């Protein structure tokens, strides 16, 4: 049992390590259609945006790709350097959208006023190799910029998404993430800062993901494994019960925290694209809470309703596990490109599944062996007194 707990703790630790080490999501996307390998990349904190580049310090050129995910054919996207200040006014922008010919049109535009439909115009620095593509909801703008040495290696950047209207970029939303999409980028060191508003959304999403993957996704299935397989060992009774309760209760507490961060994230991003994830999350919270209350209503071992309670408890329990796993994978999809997270969590699931399968086989072996041993020792009629787990009825049943 000690060994079992150790491997459980180890897997939790492993999961947290994997999750925290893969916070950079831009790194998992490398297959650009222009076959360029970008040595630096950064996750921009809002608006599903990523910047990739190669910087040549000797002549001040930046070969870059700006990638904006979850874009539709009726969106425009833009990434800009602002040499004169922070924010929108004065930005030297690269713009792309799918125009009425169904072609992705990429061009440059200087932003001189707030009410603008981003007319074409040349920038204050040189731009070559400008192109853009829209593939599977990823809009990617490619360009090489000639950064004047007077600008240094750290520049103000602004990025944006908005609707196309009348064949030109229309006004973008003026609240939420659309007014937080600015900061600086150091082309030399790869460092970015955000100046546009509170905390990083990516960090919040990562916290949400870690809390939920550890609680709903790992601790809860572990608690089920404990309940199902440890009770077969005489020496683990009633320890298995306390372990099960401890595991599920801590999973519930951490899980509610993770759930709350999700609800907060959801309220910060209007729109319906995460509705399924949110609805499954809310269902999980209700079912999880029901399980906690069901514990308080648990009939005594020999009570006539105990069987019904067990069926109910296990049905809800297994439903929660399945829904949790489904929703965690939905979460990975929302994070987009977080292949390492997905792999790490899949590894944990395989580990848990493998252990469960081994324990299942071992349990059957023990139960059958006990049945045989006891039928040798006692007349067959006494077998009926044995508990479901193959050994005597427990009189010291807890609760
Ligand atoms: C800058 O240097 C790189 C590598 O040395 C070269 O490929 C690129 O063409 C140069 N760009 C300009 C504008 O001189
Ligand atoms: C659409 O964009 C392409 C590529 O930039 C351009 O050649 C074409 O003229 C544009 N069509 C319209 C209707 O603007």
């Amino acid at each position: 049992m000690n060994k079992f707990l150790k491997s459980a703790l180890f897997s939790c630790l492993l999961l947290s390590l994997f999750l925290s080490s893969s916070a950079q999501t831009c790194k998992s996307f490398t297959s650009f259609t222009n076959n360029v390998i970008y040595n630096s990349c950064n996750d921009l904190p809002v608006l599903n945006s990523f910047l990739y580049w190669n910087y040549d310090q000797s002549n001040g050129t930046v070969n870059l790709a700006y990638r904006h995910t979850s874009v539709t054919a009726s969106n425009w996207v833009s990434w800009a350097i602002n040499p004169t200040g922070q924010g929108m006014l004065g930005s030297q922008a690269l713009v792309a959208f799918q125009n009425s010919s169904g072609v992705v049109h990429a061009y440059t535009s200087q932003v001189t006023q707030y009410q603008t439909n981003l007319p074409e115009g040349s920038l204050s620095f040189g731009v070559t190799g400008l192109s853009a593509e829209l593939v599977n909801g990823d809009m990617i703008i490619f360009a090489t910029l000639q950064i004047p040495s007077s600008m240094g290696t750290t520049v103000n950047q602004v990025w944006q998404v908005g609707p196309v209207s009348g064949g030109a970029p229309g006004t973008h939303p003026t609240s939420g993430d659309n007014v937080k999409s600015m900061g600086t980028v150091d082309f030399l060191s790869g460092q970015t800062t955000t100046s546009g508003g509170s905390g990083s959304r990516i960090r919040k999403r990562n916290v949400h993901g870690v809390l939920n993957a550890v609680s709903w996704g790992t601790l809860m299935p572990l608690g089920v494994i404990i309940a199902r397989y440890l009770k077969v060992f005489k020496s683990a009774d009633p320890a298995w019960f306390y372990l099960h309760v401890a595991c599920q209760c801590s999973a519930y507490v951490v899980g509610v925290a993770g759930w709350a961060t999700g609800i907060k994230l959801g309220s910060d991003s209007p729109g319906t694209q995460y509705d399924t994830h949110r609805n499954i999350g809310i269902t999980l919270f209700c079912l999880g809470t029901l399980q906690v209350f069901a514990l308080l209503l648990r009939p005594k071992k020999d009570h006539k309703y105990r069987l019904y309670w067990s069926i109910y408890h296990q049905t809800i329990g297994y439903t929660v596990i399945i829904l949790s796993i489904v929703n965690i994978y939905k979460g990975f999809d929302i994070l987009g490109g977080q292949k390492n997270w997905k792999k790490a969590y899949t590894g944990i699931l395989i580990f848990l599944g493998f252990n469960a399968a081994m324990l299942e086989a071992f349990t059957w072996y023990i139960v059958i062996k006990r049945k045989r041993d006891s039928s040798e020792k006692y007349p067959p009629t006494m077998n009926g007194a044995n508990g479901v787990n193959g050994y005597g009825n427990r009189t010291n049943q807890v609760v």
Side-chain angles (χ1 to χ4, degrees), residues 56 58-61 128 144 146:
D56 194 313
S58 64
N59 59 17
T61 55
T128 55
T144 300
Q146 186 64 53

Side-chain angles (χ1 to χ4, degrees), residues 15-79:
L15 180 74
S16 323
L17 277 179
F18 264 111
L19 295 187
S20 53
S21 69
S22 60
Q24 290 276 333
T25 65
C26 63
K27 293 211 169 92
S28 57
F29 184 91
T30 50
S31 49
F32 289 94
T33 51
N34 62 357
N35 294 323
V36 172
I37 312 262
Y38 295 98
N39 295 318
S40 306
C41 76
N42 236 296
D43 304 326
L44 304 185
V46 292
L47 298 180
N48 309 318
S49 296
F50 308 89
L51 190 67
Y52 306 77
W53 72 91
N54 289 320
Y55 181 56
D56 194 313
Q57 205 183 357
S58 64
N59 59 17
T61 55
V62 179
N63 183 5
L64 65 80
Y66 167 70
R67 173 170 158 250
H68 197 128
T69 65
S70 310
V71 170
T72 70
S74 52
N75 282 138
W76 59 267
V77 307
S78 170
W79 179 87

Side-chain angles (χ1 to χ4, degrees), residues 224 227-228 231 240 244 291 294 306-322 388-389:
V224 171
R228 187 167 168 83
K231 61 176 157 184
W240 73 264
H244 175 62
Q291 286 292 70
R306 174 59 181 244
L307 177 67
Y308 301 114
W309 184 88
S310 290
I311 293 172
Y312 156 84
H313 182 66
Q314 288 178 17
T315 310
I316 304 274
Y318 284 117
T319 309
V320 166
I321 301 297
I322 292 165
V388 284
N389 298 313

Side-chain angles (χ1 to χ4, degrees), residues 294-307 309-310 399:
L295 190 68
L296 306 176
L297 299 174
R298 184 167 174 253
K300 288 241 181 324
K301 179 90 190 160
D302 43 12
H303 195 282
K304 59 180 172 178
Y305 291 142
R306 174 59 181 244
L307 177 67
W309 184 88
S310 290
V399 183

Side-chain angles (χ1 to χ4, degrees), residues 1 32 38 54 91 118 140 143 162 177 200 218 222 226 232 235 248 258 323 344 354:
M1 196 172 73
F32 289 94
Y38 295 98
N54 289 320
S91 291
L118 297 171
I140 305 180
D177 287 346
S200 145
T218 307
L222 189 65
I226 287 173
V232 84
S235 57
Q248 303 314 62
L323 278 183
F354 177 77

